[in-house]
Structures are given as C-alpha cells and as structure tokens.
Amino acid sequence: LANAGKLAEDVSEQRDSLAARVKAATAAYGSREGVAAFCRAAAGLAGSRSVHLFGMVSGSLQFYGGSEPLGDLSESYRTALVDALDRNKPIVVNQEAQSDDGRAFIAASSLIIPLSGRPGSAILLRREDGAFRVADFDLKVLDLLGGVARVILQQADTDRLDLTRRKGFETILRLLRFDLDVDLDTPPEFFARHMAAALPGETVGVIFRRDAEGEFTAVGAGDVPEGSLDDFVLLPGEGIIGEVANRAEGKFVAGRPAVTRTIDGFESGSRERFHALFGERGVPGLMAVCPIMRLDRVAAVAVFMLYDIAESERGEWERLLTLASSLYSMRLTVAEQGRRMVRTQAAAGGVDQDQLGRLVNEINNHLSAVIGNAELAFSRTNLSGDVEQHLRSIISEAELASRYLKDSLGKVSAPAKPGVLTVVEERSL
C-alpha cells in the first residue's frame, strides 16, 4: 500500500510537471522570441541542462535558437550533429575526455530528437554531468514537445517571410519612381545597391555589363573585398552568365553543392575570382542570375549570392528578384527609347511615329509582365495585410503608367499609324 501510494504521488507530480512544461512551451508561440522561449521551457527534461533547436539550411548546419548560448563547437561535434539529422531517429552522442590519471569519462552528452513533419530539424538536449539515460516516458514527452517546436519554427519562418515581403515590395515600389534618372553606364552599381536593402545581410551582388564584343565585365557590386572586381572579365557565353545572356531568362541555383558545380563551369581564372568574392563566407546557398534588358538586348547580368535563407523562403526570393530585374529592365528601356526619340527629333525636327509606336509597345510589354507577376503573387492565400497593400500599389502604379502613356499620346500633334499602338488592359482586384 505504501509503494502504491508513493507511485501515485510520483505519477501526479510527473503529470503536473508535464502540464506546466507544455503550457510554458505553447505560450512561447505568442512570444517575440518564440524559439528561445520554447527552449527555456523545455530545459531540464530528461536531466538536460540546455535545450536548442537546430537543422540544415541551404546545406549548412544552423542553430535556430536555444535556452542559453552554445559557444564554440568543434568540427567533429558539428559533423556528429549532421550525421544524427541524416539518421532521422533519437540518438545520444557522448563526448569523452581523459582525467589527469588517464581514465576516460563522459565530458558532455547530447540527446537529439528529430522533429516529425519537418525533415532536417531536431531538438538538441545537452548535459555535462554524465550520459543521457532516457525512458519511454521521456521520449513521449519530447515527441509531444517536438510538435510544438515545429509549429513555433513555422511561425518564425512566416514572420521572417512577411518581413522579407514588406521590404521587397517597398524596394520594388521605389524602382517604379521614374523621377530618378538611372542608367547602366553611370552608375552601374545602382541595381545591386538598390536591392541590398531588401536582401539578407551577407548577400553578394555583382553587375556584369556586356560590351560590344559580347564579353562581360564586372562593373558594380556591393559588400565585396576591395579590388576583387578589378579586371574581372568573362568570355562570351562563359558559364551560367553566358547562358542567361543567350536565353534572356533568369536562372536560380539552390544548395551549396549545386552552386559549387555551377562555379566550376567557369574558366579557371573566373572560378578563382568568384571564390575571392565569397571570401571567408564560402560558397553561398542560393545563386540568382538575372538578365538586365535594354530594349531587346541583354545589356548586363545581375548576380546575387545569398547565404542565410531557409528553404521555405527560396521561392519568394526567386520571384522578388525576377520582378525587380524586370522592372529595372523596363526603366533602362524607357530611358534608352527616350534618348533615341530626342536624337530623332533633333535630326528630323519632329516626332518619329514609328519610333514612338515601338516605344509604347515595348513599355506596355514590360508593364503587362509587372501586372501579371503581381497578380500571381496576390492570388496567394497566406498574404498579410501589408503585403496585400503593397501588391495593390504595384498593380495600381503599373496601370497608372499605362494610362499615362495612352493620355500622353493624345497630345502628340501627328497621329500614329493605325495598328501600331497597344494599351495594357485595365484590371481590377
């Protein structure tokens, strides 16, 4: 009877402790630092001293947060964590050391619990006073908390993605300001510098300008080692940059192994220059190569190399950079057509209607692409209110530009030839 009473007390205490932990862990969902709050709530489980959430992001090990700082980790320990993620099952990793008298002992022990429903992520529990010995009850509790951790990580991804969208759309809206005079020749780094505000902090952006012979010269960049772009010239058709220039279509390479293979596709000298651009940061996790058009010709290629991005964000970055490069191409096309019209008017003493018709067609093509991309993004069901408003603004600005073109043509004294002009169809949300 005494043993039964003691067992009942232990079960009741265990149940109350579990309820308190689950309550604290779920409360982390609404916290500003949800990952850290969850880890603090889980610390102490199975005799652990600290709890952390970690996983693989773009081919590299990344810690999402923890109950306390981890400090420097040895390369062998990081390798063991990666191997544990590959096995996708609960694993105990013990780190041994030797005492002064030569006896081996366990200096630290780690328990890794994979998160079901989120491959490549896990809970890490650490202790320094012996090895983990985990009972079935502990595993069930950790599996339960793993579901909470997965939801918290998803929420963190969503918050980060919303911030990315807001910054990205604000950057794109500024590209629509035609009161700012921009040109690929002066200054060539405008586009890379302009996009830096919306891209992750360690992003490397380089503009390769195409010359008359088809070679590409690095003329503008942001956040690269000094002198790394001096005399950096690519041959016509070389590597992925030559491929993008020939097809006039952007390409995106995800994952460090794939980016490494892409860099290996350049000539040996160019490969060395790219690795010099990466510096201590190493090979990036995402390489975006976007054509910059001027009229119907690829005038330059913008290369963005992104590092710290989650897999769930990759598609958003691809759409953002595609839309931004298209808008910048439209601005260069408008500026070039404007210069040609001025030269034509000065030479002929009037307006060249054929030239004007081609200009309007070209601009309307770009505006149609802008509106189409924005409406595709607007059709997503998980957009926040701010993002919806930014998309409405993009569509509204593009439609306003189209109407402005149509109204401006009515003020030209000589009528345009029939069948030359096209007007973007007005669309409502």
Side-chain angles (χ1 to χ4, degrees):
L1 183 60
N3 288 337
K6 180 65 168 62
L7 179 61
E9 291 177 1
D10 291 343
V11 170
S12 177
E13 182 179 349
Q14 197 176 54
R15 181 189 61 198
D16 293 342
S17 175
L18 173 61
R21 285 191 185 279
V22 172
K23 182 178 179 180
T26 52
Y29 180 78
S31 172
R32 292 184 59 186
E33 298 181 350
V35 174
F38 169 83
C39 293
R40 287 192 292 268
L45 275 172
S48 62
R49 174 183 172 180
S50 64
V51 175
H52 307 266
L53 294 177
F54 74 105
M56 297 295 294
V57 177
S58 299
S60 61
L61 189 67
Q62 177 175 319
F63 288 89
Y64 308 128
S67 58
E68 63 181 44
L70 264 177
D72 294 332
L73 302 177
S74 66
E75 193 63 32
S76 60
Y77 181 67
R78 298 175 72 90
T79 301
L81 294 180
V82 173
D83 292 340
L85 287 174
D86 290 339
R87 297 186 185 186
N88 197 33
K89 62 181 180 180
I91 292 177
V92 174
V93 177
N94 293 326
Q95 296 171 270
E96 294 186 350
Q98 285 190 343
S99 61
D100 294 337
D101 56 2
R103 290 187 302 172
F105 69 97
I106 296 176
S109 184
S110 302
L111 173 61
I112 297 121
I113 306 294
L115 298 182
S116 59
R118 189 182 174 101
S121 296
I123 303 176
L124 171 64
L125 295 86
R126 288 170 55 90
R127 60 181 295 176
E128 299 174 353
D129 54 353
F132 276 101
R133 290 179 174 82
V134 188
D136 288 342
F137 179 78
D138 295 322
L139 290 176
K140 291 177 181 177
V141 172
L142 289 170
D143 186 59
L144 172 64
L145 292 180
V148 179
R150 186 181 70 251
V151 173
I152 289 175
L153 288 176
Q154 289 173 347
Q155 178 62 33
D157 290 343
T158 300
D159 291 343
R160 186 168 57 248
L161 200 55
D162 281 345
L163 178 61
T164 296
R165 286 170 174 164
R166 287 196 295 271
K167 291 169 61 178
F169 287 130
E170 290 169 359
T171 301
I172 286 176
L173 284 173
R174 289 196 296 272
L175 274 177
L176 287 171
R177 289 182 55 191
F178 282 87
D179 58 321
L180 297 177
D181 185 21
V182 299
D183 186 31
L184 188 57
D185 299 321
T186 54
E189 75 279 2
F190 168 81
F191 185 59
R193 188 180 67 244
H194 182 83
M195 294 303 299
L199 298 173
E202 291 190 340
T203 297
V204 177
V206 184
I207 304 297
F208 288 89
R209 187 169 59 195
R210 192 178 196 174
D211 59 22
E213 289 73 28
E215 293 183 338
F216 288 89
T217 304
V219 293
D223 192 23
V224 296
E226 185 176 356
S228 60
L229 297 182
D230 295 345
D231 300 323
F232 190 174
V233 180
L234 300 177
L235 298 175
E238 182 178 349
I240 190 174
I241 292 178
E243 182 181 348
V244 166
N246 291 334
R247 296 186 177 182
E249 295 179 357
K251 294 198 68 175
F252 300 87
V253 183
R256 290 186 172 181
V259 174
T260 300
R261 290 192 298 271
T262 299
I263 298 299
D264 290 341
F266 289 92
E267 299 291 333
S268 59
S270 301
R271 289 199 298 268
E272 295 176 2
R273 301 302 297 270
F274 272 107
H275 285 292
L277 282 176
F278 301 152
E280 297 180 355
R281 291 169 288 203
V283 177
L286 177 64
M287 184 176 184
V289 186
C290 304
I292 303 298
M293 307 290 294
R294 183 158 54 191
L295 297 177
D296 57 350
R297 181 177 183 271
V298 175
V301 175
V303 180
F304 295 97
M305 290 154 281
L306 291 75
Y307 285 85
D308 185 16
I309 60 169
E311 181 64 25
S312 58
E313 299 178 13
R314 182 164 62 87
E316 298 292 332
W317 288 119
E318 293 179 5
R319 284 187 286 271
L320 172 67
L321 290 172
T322 298
L323 181 58
S325 60
S326 298
L327 282 174
Y328 186 53
S329 297
M330 181 180 71
R331 295 202 54 180
L332 293 179
T333 295
V334 171
E336 180 64 22
Q337 286 283 23
R339 285 191 293 269
R340 292 189 180 189
M341 287 180 63
V342 169
R343 290 195 297 267
T344 301
Q345 291 179 38
V351 177
D352 185 337
Q353 294 299 320
D354 289 336
Q355 184 95 346
L356 185 60
R358 287 193 296 271
L359 167 64
V360 174
N361 277 328
E362 189 70 29
I363 294 176
N364 275 325
N365 287 338
H366 285 297
L367 289 172
S368 296
V370 170
I371 296 173
N373 276 286
E375 289 183 340
L376 283 175
F378 188 81
S379 65
R380 294 171 63 93
T381 58
N382 58 343
L383 297 178
S384 66
D386 288 345
V387 174
E388 288 186 7
Q389 185 59 40
H390 285 310
L391 285 171
R392 289 179 186 274
S393 298
I394 290 174
I395 296 172
S396 176
E397 289 284 348
E399 292 176 341
L400 182 63
S402 178
R403 288 195 296 271
Y404 174 77
L405 281 174
K406 182 176 65 175
D407 295 342
S408 298
L409 287 174
K411 301 175 183 178
V412 178
S413 57
K417 294 181 180 180
V420 171
L421 304 182
T422 59
V423 179
V424 175
E425 178 185 359
E426 297 185 12
R427 298 169 179 162
S428 58
L429 298 179

